Structures are given as C-alpha cells and as structure tokens.
Amino acid sequence: MTAAAGKGLEGVVASRTSLSFIDGLEGVLVYRGYNIHELAPNASFPEGVFLLWTGRLPTRSELDAFEAKLAARRGLDPRTLEALMSLPRDTVPMAALRTGISIEGLYDPDAEDNSAEANERKAVRLVARTPTLIAAIHRIRQGLEPLSPDPSLSLSADFVRMANGEPGTSEAVDALDRTLLLYLDHGFNASTFACRVIAATLGDMHSAVTGGVGALKGSLHGGANAKAMHTLLEIGELENVGPWLERAFAEKRKIMGFGHRVYKTEDPRATHLREMSRVLTQQAGLAKFYEMSRELEDQMISQKGINPNVDFYCATVYYALGIPIDLYTPLFAMGRMGGWTAHVMEQHADNRLIRPRAEYVGEVDLRWVAIGDR
Ligand SMILES: CC(C)(COP(=O)(O)OP(=O)(O)OC[C@H]1O[C@@H](n2cnc3c(N)ncnc32)[C@H](O)[C@@H]1OP(=O)(O)O)[C@@H](O)C(=O)NCCC(=O)NCCS
C-alpha cells in the first residue's frame, strides 16, 4: 500500500493549468503571464476575466464588446427570483447564492451541453448573473423588490446600484472592482479544485461552480473575510489588540485572515488591499480599523511569523465601503466565478477523471456478528 500524501494534500501538484501561477516563497501571483502587480493598478475585473478566459489582453473594441455581452446577460431567470423569494428570510447569503446558482442551472438552455461553445456561453451568464443574484438575495432578505440590471452600467457599478438601490461613487465602484480582480483566480485553491473535480466527472458547469460556492463558504477559505471583520469588531480598540491576541493564542484560536497554505511570505494581493484599506478607511472615518489591522499584522508577524492573506485587508476595504459583513464572501464568489468557470473550461478541454486513492487505516478482517449478539 502506497503511503498517503501529506495531510490536506500539502505540496501536492495535482495537475497542470495555464491560468494562474503562484510562487509562495517569493510572494508572486501571475494571471496568464501577467504579475498581479501589473494588473491590479491597471485592469478592470472584466478585463481580467477576458485575459483569464482567452489568454491575452483585449483590445479596446474587444473589451467593449465583452462588457456589452456581460451586460446583456445580467438578468436572472424570473423563476430563479421566485425561488429566492421562497427561501427562509434568515438564509445566510452564501447558502442562498449556492441555491440560486444551482437553480439558474435548471433553466440554462445549455445546461447539459459541455461543448466549448456552450461552456463559454454559460461562463458569460454565470459571471454576468452572480452580481445580480447577490444583489437580489440582499434585497429580498430586507423585504425589498429585487432590481433589474441596467446594462448601461459596468458590472461592478450595476451591482452596487442593484444591492443598495442607488448608484455608488466612482471611487467605491472602482475599489469593489479591484477586489474582484484580486479574487479572480488562485491556482488549485480548495473551491477551484472542487470545481475541477466535479468538471472532471463530465459534470456540467453549473454543478461545478455550485460545488465551488459550497467550498468557498467555509471559514478556512472564503468565509475568512467576514470572520476577519468580526475579529476586528470584537477587538474594538487599538489598545485591545495585544491582550486579545494573547488570549486567542492561549485558546489556540486561528486568527482569521492570516496564514496561507501556499504563501510563506506576503500574499501579493494583501499588498494592494492594505493600501486600499488605508485610504478607504480614512475617507470613511474608520481609520481605527486600519490601525488595528496594522497592529494585529505586526504582532502576528513578530510573534508567529504568519502574514495576512487576501481576506484580511479585504475585510476593512468592504467595511469602509459600507458593505454588510455577510456579503463579503459572496463578493469573493463574484470575483472567483471568473476563475471557476475558466478552470471548468480548461478541465473539459483536456479531461481525465480526478480520482485519487486513500490510504486505508481501518481494520480488514472482522467477522459478521448477528444483530441480536452485538
Ligand atoms: C489558511 C489556512 C487554512 C492554511 O492552513 P494550513 O496550511 O493547513 O496550515 P495549518 O493550519 O497547519 O497551520 C500551520 C501552523 O501555523 C498556525 N497558523 C496558521 N494559520 C494561523 C492563523 N490564522 N492563526 C493562528 N495560527 C495559525 C497553525 O496553528 C499551525 O501551528 P502549529 O504548527 O504550531 O500547530 C490557515 O492558515 C488558517 O486557518 N487561516 C485562517 C483562515 C483564513 O484566513 N483563511 C483564508 C485563506 S486565504
């Protein structure tokens, strides 16, 4: 019997991808050849999605056409909206999103077609509609009517309008858009790997990304951005950081938004989000949360050698933008949808079933005992 790979498959290179590259020792993230530091200040989220799906940067007219295509497909199937309205009012948004995406799959005209052309059409609909779904979920739980998309607005601007009922400032929309770009893709992270496992059974795209949402929901993955904000609120004040952390270490608590399976140095996405957090919290009169974050970061690094990950500073970025905390992880999903769909297309284009083995550590030669004798 072959010995199992390390717990949690640490260090295992499961397959190949040409979508994104991570060097965890150097703190490098590359989408299709472009370092995230090149992209973050320059590319919009739809531009990043185009790059990921096609392998090249769009020309101006290609980007305009791509954005117009996304804009034209933002509207949800009315039956999806009806189903969302029947969910319990206290359904957590990630569970509602998981359900909503699955329901969209029921009505998708290409649902059972895994051809490259159908996958591309479904990917467009999924990236276009995830913002509409999240906004609708947020409106419905407040007892409000969901708003229809406005195709004249960018994907991020329309999300803000549909969620809040009024347009956001261009600074807020740009900041949100940048977080989506930073969340777009990240190698074989847990949710993406879940999508690829499902796709590799020749499962359809909606099944795969529904599984992705389920994997992202957990607090060791996407759920960490919301938990990180709750941590900061629990700490409350700058001077509480030290004592709070001491207690957390004593109780062996994981500090949400810190640590990473692959990065052993600064997560390059955190570099951008830290600066965004500094600027946005200051503008929103919430600078104390940035200062607390810096203090927590300094203490985590000096005491444990553990760096913040993408979710840590994203928490205060979203807080400064006034986004409800339980929408932070759905927003992660909104960005990662571009990556999940790209991975499904890559998997289907050169597929083999993903089916590892397990090292069995149980007994093998027990004898049957009749039920009355047990
Ligand atoms: C991301 C994460 C799941 C990676 O896990 P992993 O590679 O399995 O690493 P481990 O949980 O085995 O941690 C290795 C060591 O670092 C410590 N550690 C890792 N992340 C930590 C954190 N956030 N807070 C406190 N200690 C942490 C562990 O306690 C462990 O210490 P030990 O060897 O003394 O037991 C983990 O760092 C974590 O739980 N972070 C918090 C959740 C989070 O932010 N997730 C979003 C990831 S983008």
Side-chain angles (χ1 to χ4, degrees):
M1 170 72 70
T2 326
K7 201 170 173 194
L9 298 183
E10 179 163 6
V12 170
V13 176
S15 185
R16 293 177 162 186
T17 181
S18 59
L19 299 172
S20 59
F21 164 72
I22 304 163
D23 181 333
L25 294 179
E26 297 295 326
V28 173
L29 170 61
V30 169
Y31 295 164
R32 291 281 202 176
Y34 293 89
N35 192 297
I36 197 68
H37 298 318
E38 287 285 309
L39 296 171
N42 296 307
S44 67
F45 171 63
E47 210 169 1
V49 175
F50 185 102
L51 169 66
L52 204 62
W53 287 359
T54 65
R56 62 184 180 79
L57 292 173
T59 62
R60 174 83 263 163
S61 63
E62 283 174 331
L63 181 59
D64 289 346
F66 183 59
E67 291 196 272
K69 187 149 82 166
L70 288 172
R73 286 156 183 74
R74 256 180 228 151
L76 298 173
D77 191 292
R79 292 164 292 187
T80 304
L81 280 174
E82 250 171 64
L84 289 178
M85 287 183 201
S86 71
L87 299 180
R89 188 60 66 83
D90 59 355
T91 303
V92 298
M94 276 302 275
L97 180 64
R98 186 190 60 216
T99 301
I101 287 173
S102 180
I103 292 169
E104 275 287 299
L106 296 178
Y107 303 120
D108 194 291
D110 293 309
E112 300 303 323
D113 185 348
N114 286 345
S115 67
E117 298 72 26
N119 271 352
E120 206 262 345
R121 289 192 293 271
K122 287 188 279 191
V124 168
R125 285 193 281 273
L126 280 160
V127 167
R129 291 181 190 189
T130 303
T132 320
L133 265 173
I134 298 168
I137 288 164
H138 181 50
R139 303 271 303 173
I140 291 168
R141 69 175 168 162
Q142 299 172 86
L144 300 169
E145 275 292 307
L147 297 179
S148 302
D150 175 351
S152 72
L153 295 176
S154 74
L155 179 139
S156 294
D158 206 20
F159 167 75
V160 173
R161 186 195 59 85
M162 288 188 286
N164 295 342
E166 54 188 40
T169 63
S170 65
E171 290 80 16
V173 168
D174 287 352
L176 171 70
D177 196 80
R178 186 166 305 167
T179 66
L180 300 178
L181 178 77
L182 292 169
Y183 272 139
L184 176 59
D185 196 40
H186 209 234
F188 277 15
N189 60 88
S191 57
T192 299
F193 193 61
C195 289
R196 289 194 76 128
V197 168
I198 296 169
T201 67
L202 296 184
D204 65 279
M205 188 175 277
H206 284 84
S207 297
V209 302
T210 300
V213 176
L216 189 75
K217 182 170 176 283
S219 57
L220 296 188
H221 191 7
N225 57 9
K227 296 263 183 194
M229 195 61 231
H230 286 300
T231 295
L232 291 169
L233 291 168
E234 187 185 322
I235 295 172
E237 298 298 334
L238 186 59
E239 62 268 24
N240 296 344
V241 170
W244 184 92
L245 202 53
E246 209 175 301
R247 226 176 19 257
F249 287 155
E251 291 165 5
K252 303 215 174 310
R253 282 169 68 179
K254 283 274 183 79
I255 315 305
M256 292 294 146
F258 284 88
H260 201 275
R261 176 61 66 75
V262 183
Y263 292 118
K264 299 305 166 204
T265 182
E266 167 120 335
D267 179 332
R269 301 166 298 177
T271 315
H272 295 276
L273 291 161
R274 184 191 293 108
E275 179 56 13
M276 290 167 69
S277 166
R278 185 184 70 75
V279 172
L280 291 164
T281 54
Q282 198 165 35
Q283 284 170 357
L286 295 166
K288 92 168 183 185
F289 288 100
Y290 173 74
E291 284 154 20
M292 282 163 56
S293 301
R294 287 307 304 253
E295 183 61 24
L296 197 56
E297 173 179 7
D298 287 350
Q299 296 205 22
M300 281 296 284
I301 292 174
S302 63
Q303 294 185 47
K304 292 276 178 184
I306 298 177
N307 291 283
N309 58 48
V310 66
D311 291 317
F312 186 61
Y313 281 102
C314 197
T316 40
V317 166
Y318 286 160
Y319 196 68
L321 293 176
I323 297 168
I325 298 176
D326 59 3
L327 293 188
Y328 295 6
T329 313
L331 289 180
F332 188 155
M334 186 163 139
R336 190 55 59 85
M337 188 58 76
W340 290 333
T341 48
H343 280 270
V344 172
M345 292 189 275
E346 189 180 59
Q347 184 67 41
H348 279 169
D350 183 19
N351 190 56
R352 190 158 188 230
L353 179 72
I354 298 171
R355 202 300 187 192
R357 291 176 57 200
E359 180 186 349
Y360 177 65
V361 293
E363 309 215 47
V364 289
D365 49 9
L366 301 180
R367 302 302 305 264
W368 179 253
V369 180
I371 196 159
D373 299 334
R374 286 175 209 163

